Structure formats: C-alpha cells, structure tokens
Amino acid sequence: RRALGAMGSKGAMVEQIKGIQRTGVDAKLAWWHHCDTLLGGVRDPNCHDEHVLRAFLKQYNSGALARPAGGYKGGWRAPRQPRDLVRLIKEGQRRSKSWREAWQKYCAAHASGSCDPARVSDAILVGFLDFAGQAASGELGTQAEQDGGEGGEQADLVLKVKEVQRSGREAMTAWWTYCDESLAGVRDPNRHDAAALSTFLASRGVS
C-alpha cells in the first residue's frame, strides 16, 4: 500500500480519501466498511470533520484497515427469527438518520424510553417495523397521487436505475460510485430527482 503525503487541510484529506477509493475495489471497500461501521453509513468524506478523516487516513496508511473478510455487499440480511430484528434495526440506525429518529420516537412512546434494540421485547421490534411499513406505504401512496404524470416519469427512471444495478456487479459499483461522489452517498434512487437519475443513466448509455 502506497503511503500518502502530509494530510494538510480538510479539503486535502477529502481528496486523499477520494484518491484512495479510486485505487481499487479493496481500497474503496475499506472506506465504505469504515463508514458503515463507525460513521453512520455516510460515505461522502465532505460530510465528516477533520479529526474523523485524519483518523481514517492514519489507520489506512498504517495498514490497519483492510477489505472486510469474505467481501462486503453493503446489504441487510433478511431476519429469520425475531431476535435477528435487533441487528436489522441497528443497521437502520447506522445507515439512516430518519430511521434512527423514528426508532427513538417509537421507543419513547412504546418502550419506556429505552432505545437499545437488544433490551426491548420482540413485540416492540415487530411493532416498530409494522408501524414504519404502514407510514411508508401511506406516504408513498400520497406522493403517487400528488405527482401525477411527473411522478410517472420519476418512477420510470427509478426502475431503469434499479435494472442497471441488477445487470451486474460492475454496474452496481458504478451507481454506488456516482452516489458517493455526486449525491452525498445516498444510494436509494427514489430519493433523487429526475435530473440526477437521467445523468447517471446517460453515462451508462441508457435513454
């Protein structure tokens, strides 16, 4: 692993981390794993303080960071039994600010304020998921009714992006890279406007 020069300002460290990611898949996955494990899943280095970037660079240059064993797919494992929901909810807390806030509010109302998923009952875990699903379903239904034709175009672009991702690992990595470099690390195509989606699709030769 090639050592980088003096870290310098935040801007310089941001560029160093972007440069590290461009050196190869293992380097990119090292940064992603670091963010998902310690930084709430936020992968845009511009969103982090200098001391956070400096700590990553020191660990990376020392060889303390490596690609996660067995690869890293960045996805959630579907729960097979109730207590597996603890892991799923913790993943949601790390990756989504909205999810984390919703969980905290739900716990305040239904779990005597305890927000540790490992310390609440299975009924609370399942109840939260059901509540979140109902809220999301209702909101999406309302958006679809309000958006009309424009929403239809947006939905078509979202589907095209998802189809591109499913076409292969290289295509999925291209979408992730585009999101990390241009869209603040947000990978859900539903959360981007038509212009952002169209730009990506055009780069892949999809009209």
Side-chain angles (χ1 to χ4, degrees), residues 96 98-99 102 127-145 188 190-191:
S96 168
S98 297
W99 176 282
F128 171 71
L129 291 180
D130 186 55
F131 175 83
Q134 290 182 33
S137 179
E139 179 64 20
L140 291 171
T142 300
Q143 288 182 13
E145 292 176 359
D188 182 356
N190 288 291
R191 297 177 60 185

Side-chain angles (χ1 to χ4, degrees), residues 36-102:
D36 292 345
T37 303
L38 301 175
L39 305 178
V42 178
R43 296 172 177 172
D44 182 356
N46 286 293
C47 295
H48 300 296
D49 295 332
E50 288 186 27
H51 72 276
V52 173
L53 304 179
R54 187 175 295 108
F56 169 79
L57 289 169
K58 285 183 177 179
Q59 291 183 66
Y60 183 85
N61 291 333
S62 71
L65 296 176
R67 178 176 179 170
Y72 183 67
K73 298 180 180 179
W76 291 355
R77 180 172 63 87
R80 291 178 292 180
Q81 55 185 341
R83 298 312 297 177
D84 283 347
L85 294 177
V86 171
R87 297 176 62 183
L88 188 150
I89 289 177
K90 286 184 175 181
E91 282 291 298
Q93 290 179 284
R94 283 193 289 268
R95 295 170 184 270
S96 168
K97 179 180 178 181
S98 297
W99 176 282
R100 182 166 59 251
E101 292 175 349

Side-chain angles (χ1 to χ4, degrees), residues 189-200:
N190 288 291
R191 297 177 60 185
H192 300 301
D193 59 27
L197 300 176
S198 296
T199 297
F200 170 74

